[in-house]
Amino acid sequence: MSVSIKEVTTKKDLKNFVKFNIDLYKGNPYHVPGLIEEEMITLSKEKNPAFENSEAIYFLAYKDNKIVGRIAGIIVHASNKTWGQKHARFGFVDFIDDPEVVDALFHAVEGWAKAKGMEAIHGPMGFTDMDHEGMLIEGFDQLGTMATIYNFPYYPQHMERMGYVKDQDWHEFKIYIPDAIPEKHLRIAEIVKKKYGLKVLKFKRRKDIQPYARKVFETLNASFAPLYGFSELTSKQIDYYAKIYIPMLRLNLVTLIVREEDDTVVGFGISLPSLSHALQKAKGRLFPFGFIPLLKAMHSKTKIVDLYLMGILPEYQNKGVNALLFCDLIPEYIKLGAEYAESNIELETNTAVQAQWDYFKREHHKTRRAFIKKLS
């Protein structure tokens, strides 16, 4: 039976679009499902403030009356303006290993992009850097994380078959937790603190973080500005992400570096205990019982910590500010019983970021790729 493509137009369609990822990877030991309701909010034109400067379309592929694939087409006008491009993005993409299905999905999204006047399409990417991006091309036997995509090995094979080529790669590392803070970091931290008038800020109550939330995202905007595909988060997007993420923080794993003279957030590090196994148990749902393993994981000891977000103002980069973060967080990781940290994704060209792991035992265990194709 031939493949049919249907545009997502109803809430039921959207839920099926989100659930397909969970259904496709059911029982896979490496895939980490997201939460259905959270992803539906991300894709909602009414709820996600990204739609102030973006537009999107969602397609489902059917074969034998079953959903066999999904894809989103996204145009982030703010990013195109920043980078001087006319690029569409594809994202939230999943499919069975069937060339007919894959071709039909990408034909639909490429046709939409061309009709919108776009000159190329790249991805997988979302609306912002806070969404999942990058197709896994190495590390298929490694446990995924809450912040990244897992996909089957046949995905990149189909991309290459369709004429998509590498646009950018990201690397991920396992960084093994040392038994103590490296002596060099201790020395650098003290020098940097005195030289630049910095202090380490910690929190015991979530409400105390609120006055710093906007400052953290302003630092993120500045530090992420040169990175692939990035566009500055708007005021509404900052409020949106703060509302989502502050409730889920583990406070002892949040570290801010601020300038004493004016309370500017110079740098920040936000880690979480790995929620990968808990999300696998939740199977996409918080209720009725999915929240139980998540709560347990958030407040228990763990072998893995996820380095969820880290940023340093450009004028303070390569000046040892990261040593202040390490000196604060390493003892917290040791208390948790953590054996290693997951680095999150790092551009392969961002050698400065990767150099900060030089004083730790590390393992490059995953690589993911943004593919691109010119539209005729």
Side-chain angles (χ1 to χ4, degrees):
M1 191 173 182
S2 62
V3 177
S4 62
I5 299 294
K6 178 183 177 182
E7 182 182 345
V8 171
T9 57
T10 68
K11 188 173 181 180
K12 182 180 178 182
D13 289 340
L14 188 61
K15 193 167 188 176
N16 287 335
F17 182 93
V18 172
K19 282 182 78 274
F20 177 70
N21 172 269
I22 296 170
D23 296 339
L24 183 65
Y25 288 93
K26 185 177 181 180
N28 185 287
Y30 310 115
H31 173 255
V32 177
L35 295 173
I36 293 169
E37 290 302 321
E38 185 178 289
E39 188 160 310
M40 288 185 69
I41 290 171
T42 299
L43 298 170
S44 170
K45 296 174 175 66
E46 291 76 32
K47 296 180 180 179
N48 188 344
F51 282 94
E52 284 188 320
N53 54 40
S54 303
E55 56 184 301
I57 193 167
Y58 315 128
F59 295 109
L60 286 168
Y62 289 80
K63 193 171 187 178
D64 298 328
N65 296 317
K66 291 181 179 179
I67 298 174
V68 289
R70 69 169 191 170
I71 196 167
I74 301 169
I75 300 173
V76 182
H77 296 292
S79 178
N80 279 341
K81 185 177 179 180
T82 297
W83 296 94
Q85 300 169 333
K86 289 185 177 179
H87 285 186
R89 301 175 174 193
F90 69 88
F92 302 92
V93 59
D94 289 294
F95 42 77
I96 64 170
D97 190 7
D98 183 329
E100 188 181 10
V101 171
V102 181
D103 291 351
L105 283 169
F106 278 86
H107 178 75
V109 83
E110 289 169 13
W112 173 80
K114 283 192 279 189
K116 292 287 182 177
M118 298 297 105
E119 297 173 351
I121 184 166
H122 61 154
M125 299 173 71
F127 298 95
T128 74
D129 270 20
M130 305 296 284
D131 296 328
H132 293 171
E133 55 191 1
M135 184 176 287
L136 197 65
I137 61 169
E138 295 174 351
F140 300 105
D141 60 348
Q142 298 292 317
L143 179 66
T145 69
M146 178 178 69
T148 58
I149 295 168
Y150 182 82
N151 55 263
F152 289 122
Y154 62 76
Y155 279 41
Q157 295 170 11
H158 282 290
M159 300 306 299
E160 292 168 0
R161 178 185 60 77
M162 291 186 296
Y164 282 79
V165 297
K166 172 186 173 179
D167 197 22
Q168 187 63 254
D169 276 4
W170 291 269
H171 293 171
E172 292 173 61
F173 297 90
K174 283 182 180 178
I175 300 121
Y176 291 89
I177 310 300
D179 295 331
I181 303 168
E183 188 64 33
K184 183 167 185 175
H185 284 145
L186 287 169
R187 291 199 309 272
I188 292 172
E190 283 306 309
I191 292 169
V192 168
K193 234 195 295 193
K194 292 175 183 176
K195 184 175 182 179
Y196 299 109
L198 305 178
K199 65 179 179 180
V200 176
L201 205 58
K202 301 294 284 186
F203 303 93
K204 293 186 177 180
R205 300 175 299 179
R206 278 176 176 75
K207 71 176 185 178
D208 295 334
I209 296 178
Q210 292 288 353
Y212 289 92
R214 183 164 294 277
K215 293 181 180 183
V216 167
F217 279 102
E218 287 169 354
T219 300
L220 182 148
N221 272 338
S223 61
F224 282 33
L227 302 184
Y228 176 80
F230 184 76
S231 61
E232 186 174 297
L233 297 177
T234 65
S235 180
K236 285 187 178 179
Q237 286 176 305
I238 288 172
D239 290 341
Y240 169 77
Y241 286 121
K243 185 178 179 181
I244 290 173
Y245 292 116
I246 286 178
M248 64 182 287
L249 296 176
R250 181 156 172 167
L251 297 183
N252 62 316
L253 300 183
V254 176
T255 304
L256 304 189
I257 310 300
V258 300
R259 201 160 53 204
E260 289 189 282
E261 64 178 11
D262 59 7
D263 227 22
T264 294
V265 175
V266 166
F268 65 89
I270 298 172
S271 309
L272 288 170
S274 173
L275 300 180
S276 296
H277 291 302
L279 285 165
Q280 288 176 332
K281 291 176 183 176
K283 299 177 182 177
R285 299 182 183 276
L286 274 178
F287 303 102
F289 304 114
F291 72 94
I292 297 173
L294 287 167
L295 277 177
K296 185 177 180 182
M298 279 295 295
H299 300 286
S300 302
K301 289 200 168 188
T302 181
K303 291 185 178 181
I304 310 168
V305 290
D306 289 346
L307 305 184
Y308 193 68
L309 274 180
M310 185 178 289
I312 296 172
L313 286 176
E315 59 267 36
Y316 286 91
Q317 290 173 11
N318 303 314
K319 292 183 177 178
V321 174
N322 57 343
L324 288 169
L325 295 173
F326 296 146
C327 287
D328 181 74
L329 288 169
I330 287 172
E332 298 294 343
Y333 299 157
I334 292 171
K335 288 178 196 173
L336 280 174
E339 295 176 3
Y340 66 88
E342 286 273 1
S343 71
N344 210 333
I345 63 175
E346 300 174 354
L347 289 168
E348 67 172 345
T349 54
N350 198 342
T351 53
V353 167
Q354 291 170 33
Q356 70 183 332
W357 312 129
D358 286 348
Y359 296 98
F360 303 98
K361 178 186 174 184
R362 66 177 180 177
E363 176 189 345
H364 171 203
H365 65 313
K366 298 177 200 169
T367 304
R368 55 188 67 249
R369 177 163 295 172
F371 287 91
I372 192 167
K373 182 179 181 181
K374 290 183 179 179
L375 300 171
S376 57

